[in-house]
Amino acid sequence: MKEDISKNYHVRKYAEQCLREEAEAILDLIPQLDHHFDKAVEMMYQCRGKVIVTGVGKSGNIGAKIAATLASTGTPAFFVNPLDVYHGDLGVITPDDIVLALSNSGQTDELLRFIPIVLHMNVPIISMSGNSHSLLAKYSNAHIRVKVKKEACPLNLAPTSSTTAMLAMGDALAIALMEVRNFQPQDFAHFHPGGELGKRLLTTASDVMRTDDLPIIPQDMHLGEAIIHVSKGKLGLGVSLEDGKVIGLITDGDIRRAMEKWQAQFFDKTVSDIMTRQPKTVLPNTKITEIQRIMHRYKVHTVLVVDEEKRLLGVVDHYSCMI
């Protein structure tokens, strides 16, 4: 039976030290940002082809993630292992592309053997390494410096702080490009159609609105009777129409406040006395995310779905937006 390591080793202390050192490595990147970063963003923004991300080993693993992040945020990109270039993958690179090469040392042999091929094709190179004087940096059009003081590894050997810093710098590139492109939520949804976020961003009012048995009440109905209709509707509201068009809305909260205000005279009052005459309405093609913003801004739990002429089509409540 193995000993309880918590008695002899302060494992959480080691974890805390690792997280602190990696966090510091990321913060140390800020002073390293310079005109090369600006040039890299400009090159990627102006690129008519793809961003080919490449790297070996741990840098390759980070490169694959960076490529995925770029691709999902509006910059066509994918990862290519430089070792595979010699076995047919060179065909994916065109003169319209840009190569983003990753290497902590900037001297990785397998990567450096790939660089002359790229240069021969006149494909621009953006590099990311911790060594501004490396061969990789020398042959790059833009070199983004990602230097760390030490690895979080206690032996200062295993790529830890360096890979974290490289990943963060890749995110910085992607975020900067998103801002330059004015990348919007609907664009994100376009690249994430299968995910929960994509579903929310693509779903419209017409997809979730309730259309059957809507609680329609005339504006001259007495509140005592209106209570029954609001309760049966199970939406906590009643809608008044005139020629099919929305003219007012009452909620169960309106009814409670009216009872408190008028007390004995409550049953003499009609819907028109308490209804909101300009309730929040949306068109059928309004996205669920926009409806949620409306609900949050105006502190309402329900919006009415209407056509261009204000004819009632359905109701969307807070729970309908929880998809």
Side-chain angles (χ1 to χ4, degrees):
M1 182 177 179
K2 292 183 178 181
E3 64 176 327
D4 184 356
I5 62 172
S6 62
K7 294 180 179 178
N8 300 316
Y9 297 93
H10 301 291
V11 291
R12 277 181 287 177
K13 180 179 179 180
Y14 302 142
E16 179 182 338
Q17 180 179 344
C18 174
L19 294 174
R20 287 186 184 280
E21 290 183 357
E22 295 203 13
E24 289 172 4
I26 293 177
L27 292 176
D28 286 343
L29 296 178
I30 297 176
Q32 299 182 53
L33 293 171
D34 58 15
H35 66 281
H36 283 276
F37 183 89
D38 302 339
K39 184 176 181 180
V41 172
E42 178 67 19
M43 290 170 62
M44 295 168 77
Y45 176 67
Q46 297 294 345
C47 179
R48 293 179 297 174
K50 310 171 295 296
V51 176
I52 309 297
V53 186
T54 187
V56 179
K58 301 298 188 297
S59 294
N61 296 332
I62 297 301
K65 192 276 179 185
I66 292 174
T69 300
L70 288 170
S72 68
T73 53
T75 300
F78 61 88
F79 177 77
V80 171
N81 189 316
L83 302 177
D84 294 334
V85 168
Y86 302 101
H87 302 282
D89 283 7
L90 184 62
V92 304
I93 305 176
T94 73
D96 289 331
D97 297 335
I98 284 178
V99 166
L100 174 59
L102 312 180
S103 169
N104 182 42
S105 67
Q107 299 289 130
T108 306
D109 181 65
E110 299 92 336
L111 188 60
L112 291 179
R113 285 191 281 120
F114 168 56
I115 296 303
I117 300 174
V118 177
L119 293 174
H120 179 72
M121 298 176 65
N122 292 318
V123 173
I125 299 173
I126 299 169
S127 61
M128 189 185 298
S129 82
N131 185 358
S132 300
H133 303 289
S134 64
L135 286 175
L136 179 61
K138 178 180 178 180
Y139 289 106
S140 299
N141 300 82
H143 175 260
I144 301 174
R145 187 166 178 258
V146 186
K147 184 176 179 59
V148 299
K149 296 175 182 176
K150 66 180 293 291
E151 300 288 2
C153 165
L155 303 177
N156 196 29
L157 294 174
T160 45
S161 296
S162 60
T163 49
T164 298
M166 191 173 287
L167 180 63
M169 188 62 80
D171 287 341
L173 280 172
I175 297 304
L177 283 163
M178 287 178 70
E179 292 291 340
V180 171
R181 296 185 191 281
N182 191 28
F183 199 78
Q184 297 297 312
Q186 58 268 26
D187 301 314
F188 192 88
H190 175 74
F191 292 105
H192 299 75
E196 180 180 345
L197 179 57
K199 183 179 179 182
R200 287 179 56 243
L201 291 168
L202 293 172
T203 302
T204 64
S206 62
D207 295 322
V208 300
M209 67 184 182
R210 172 174 161 180
T211 58
D212 299 328
D213 301 321
L214 297 178
I216 308 300
I217 53 177
Q219 61 176 324
D220 58 357
M221 177 181 285
H222 284 89
L223 293 181
E225 186 179 357
I227 292 176
I228 299 173
H229 285 271
V230 170
S231 178
K232 286 182 177 180
K234 297 181 180 180
L235 285 172
L237 57 81
V239 185
S240 290
L241 306 179
E242 189 173 282
D243 297 328
K245 300 178 181 180
V246 175
I247 60 171
L249 169 76
I250 67 168
T251 67
D252 49 10
D254 294 328
I255 293 173
R256 288 194 302 270
R257 286 185 289 273
M259 292 179 70
E260 182 179 0
K261 177 180 179 180
W262 286 309
Q263 298 185 16
Q265 289 78 37
F266 170 79
F267 292 96
D268 297 326
K269 302 297 181 179
T270 64
V271 170
S272 63
D273 291 322
I274 68 168
M275 70 182 185
T276 300
R277 299 183 182 276
Q278 292 184 325
K280 301 306 173 189
T281 61
V282 297
L283 295 172
N285 61 352
T286 304
K287 298 292 192 297
I288 289 299
T289 49
E290 175 61 23
I291 293 176
Q292 289 177 317
R293 280 192 286 268
I294 292 172
M295 290 180 176
H296 177 74
R297 178 179 179 182
Y298 295 101
K299 295 180 172 54
V300 296
H301 299 286
T302 310
V303 296
L304 306 180
V305 184
V306 299
D307 62 16
E308 297 286 353
E309 297 182 352
K310 295 294 183 181
R311 291 189 178 89
L312 182 66
L313 301 176
V315 175
V316 175
D317 62 10
H318 170 73
Y319 297 103
S320 301
C321 297
M322 298 173 64
I323 58 175

